């Protein structure tokens, strides 16, 4: 099967029967028709359609080494610098379609699976079957063009103890038994974005495991279909309120659902397991396979697209109300420009310094990507602040589409015009600014970016510990020793 189009994505989803709890009801089918999901599902379908658009097909697909059919570029195992560029351009094409607002498009986990499958021998340390499993699974997802999401961390209950110890060890998802055909998982995980409409759920290692007997039940990596028996999702309140694209231009298109995952004695066949009971392999899961590097390559590309969108929006805003001549406004615009150029520089440096890893995969340099993933969660928080500052009270007076075409139309044209826009045009622009910096959708975006890779404070600690500062210390010591 080749790269899917939007129709094929929707047809497969219509056949899926995930169990989703949302706003007091339980869905066991027709997720794509539910008001909470239907708009974002159709946006995802548009992404799959792009794979077949004449202007994007060459970028978004390549020839499968097994079937000879075109498959998604995010599955491409990079061997040359041109391969890395092709992957980045594919990421960017999808990210541009959503202005970078979709954080869990398929290319994110596809990049991880590519790296993991390339490191099949590493998984085979514990059992050769695990290496075969990850390789076969990657090929399945590639050839069927499946949409995967993942879940990483235990529920947020009592952070004074490890997730494995919460509620006496009976809360976090864990292996409760093993039989001749696989393992049985019980407990909960969070936070699975797009889970209600994904095809597959990847359950990967999260926090560092100590390798004690108590940690063994929590040491695993596997994949299950989204509608597996015993698997259910508790979705948060949707931020798509069913309003028009004029009134909620982002929320009505890009509202990705987040969900808690509950495993009610979910049976996972051995052929879908990649690690069982091995804390050391779990702790090395991302770094030893280069998975984290390729995932971050996708993320920094997406955030560059998001920053381009912010820059365009800020520029239209300052132009519309004639404020860009003021120096404090220019300072804010310069901050967005500097962030964008920094992200581009990180991407270029990562690709320019790419080297083959031990499995022969050309892997971007992690140092610049790691810098980006530590900086951007904090830098993004400034963008809504800047938009609110520049939009000021104008963001408090944003009539709806019904008003633009209703009895107030003449007043809107007369009193809400701007230096460059008619009243109705200005309202439309300000609705977009509002949905980027004030709405519930925008608040979720800010929170999502802040914690995308985990707690920024803990990330900073890990960053400091992993960074080799000895050459710089030696240089300063040498200076101190000069006569």
């Amino acid at each position: 099967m080749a790269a899917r189009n939007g129709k094929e994505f929707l047809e497969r989803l219509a056949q899926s029967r995930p169990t989703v709890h949302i706003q007091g009801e339980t869905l066991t089918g027709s997720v794509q028709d539910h008001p909470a999901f239907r708009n974002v599902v159709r946006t995802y379908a548009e992404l799959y359609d792009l794979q077949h658009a004449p202007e994007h097909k060459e970028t978004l697909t390549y020839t499968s080494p097994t079937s000879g059919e075109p498959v998604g570029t995010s599955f491409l195992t990079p061997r040359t610098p041109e391969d890395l560029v092709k992957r980045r351009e594919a990421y960017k094409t999808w990210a541009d379609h959503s202005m970078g607002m979709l954080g869990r498009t398929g290319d994110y986990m596809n990049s991880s699976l590519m790296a993991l499958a390339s490191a099949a021998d590493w998984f085979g340390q514990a059992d050769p079957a695990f290496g075969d499993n990850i390789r076969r699974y990657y090929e399945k997802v590639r050839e069927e063009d499946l949409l995967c999401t993942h879940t990483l961390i235990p529920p947020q209950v009592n952070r004074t103890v490890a997730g494995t110890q919460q509620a006496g060890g009976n809360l976090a998802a864990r292996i409760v038994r093993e039989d001749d055909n696989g393992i049985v998982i019980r407990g909960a995980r969070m936070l699975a974005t797009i889970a209600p409409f994904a095809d597959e759920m990847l359950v990967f290692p999260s926090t560092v495991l100590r390798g004690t007997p108590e940690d063994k039940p929590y040491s695993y990596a596997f994949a299950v279909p989204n509608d597996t028996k015993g698997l259910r999702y508790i979705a948060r309140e949707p931020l798509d309120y069913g309003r028009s694209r004029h009134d909620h231009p982002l929320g009505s298109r890009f509202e990705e659902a987040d969900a808690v995952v509950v495993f009610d004695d979910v049976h996972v066949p051995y052929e879908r397991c990649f690690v069982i009971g091995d804390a050391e392999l779990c702790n090395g899961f991302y770094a030893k396979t280069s998975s984290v590097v390729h995932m971050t390559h996708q993320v920094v590309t997406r955030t560059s697209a998001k920053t381009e969108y912010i820059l365009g929006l800020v520029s239209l805003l300052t132009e519309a109300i004639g404020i860009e001549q003021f120096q404090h406004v220019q300072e804010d615009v310069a901050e967005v420009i500097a962030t964008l150029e920094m992200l581009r520089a990180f991407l270029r440096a990562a690709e320019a310094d790419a080297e083959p890893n031990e499995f022969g995969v050309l892997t971007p340099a992690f140092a610049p990507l790691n810098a980006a993933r530590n900086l951007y969660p904090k830098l993004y928080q400034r963008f809504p602040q800047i938009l609110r500052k520049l939009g000021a009270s104008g963001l408090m007076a944003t009539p709806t589409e019904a008003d633009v075409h209703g009895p107030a139309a003449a007043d809107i044209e007369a009193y809400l015009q701007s230096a460059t826009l008619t009243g109705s045009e200005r309202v439309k622009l300000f609705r977009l600014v509002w949905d980027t910096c004030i709405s519930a959708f925008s608040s979720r975006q800010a929170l999502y970016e802040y914690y995308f890779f985990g707690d920024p404070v803990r990330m900073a600690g890990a960053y400091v510990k992993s960074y080799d500062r000895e050459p710089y210390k030696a240089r300063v010591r040498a200076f101190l020793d000069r006569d």
Side-chain angles (χ1 to χ4, degrees), residues 55-66:
E55 66 271 29
H56 297 305
K57 184 175 182 180
E58 184 64 27
T59 298
L60 290 174
T61 63
Y62 75 106
T63 302
S64 166
T66 56

Side-chain angles (χ1 to χ4, degrees), residues 314 317 321 323 332 380-396 430 433-434 436-439 442-443 446:
V314 167
L317 174 60
I321 55 178
I323 59 174
D332 289 332
Y380 183 80
Q381 308 309 307
R382 283 284 297 143
F383 296 162
Q385 293 173 8
I386 289 170
L387 287 167
R388 288 194 295 268
K389 172 184 172 183
L390 301 182
S393 61
L395 294 171
M396 303 297 291
F430 270 65
V433 176
W434 173 86
T436 307
C437 70
I438 291 180
S439 68
S442 70
S443 295

Side-chain angles (χ1 to χ4, degrees), residues 336-357:
V336 181
I337 294 172
T339 301
L340 174 59
E341 289 303 323
M342 181 183 66
L343 293 174
R344 288 173 173 170
F346 284 145
L347 283 169
R348 178 171 291 205
E351 292 172 14
D353 294 342
E355 294 182 352
N357 66 5

Side-chain angles (χ1 to χ4, degrees), residues 370 374 456-469:
N370 202 13
N374 273 271
V457 175
R458 294 179 65 183
M459 283 182 60
Y463 191 30
V464 169
K465 290 178 182 177
S466 67
Y467 200 89
D468 182 10
R469 292 173 286 162

Side-chain angles (χ1 to χ4, degrees), residues 20-79:
V20 182
H21 300 301
I22 182 167
Q23 293 185 300
E25 62 177 316
T26 300
L27 304 182
T28 56
S30 300
V31 168
Q32 73 277 12
D33 296 323
H34 191 277
F37 311 119
R38 64 188 174 202
N39 286 329
V40 70
V41 162
R42 278 153 183 76
T43 298
Y44 269 73
E46 291 168 7
L47 296 179
Y48 286 106
D49 278 336
L50 289 180
Q51 295 184 136
H52 298 270
E55 66 271 29
H56 297 305
K57 184 175 182 180
E58 184 64 27
T59 298
L60 290 174
T61 63
Y62 75 106
T63 302
S64 166
T66 56
S67 67
E69 296 286 341
V71 292
T73 296
S74 54
F75 296 106
L76 174 65
T77 304
R79 306 292 183 189

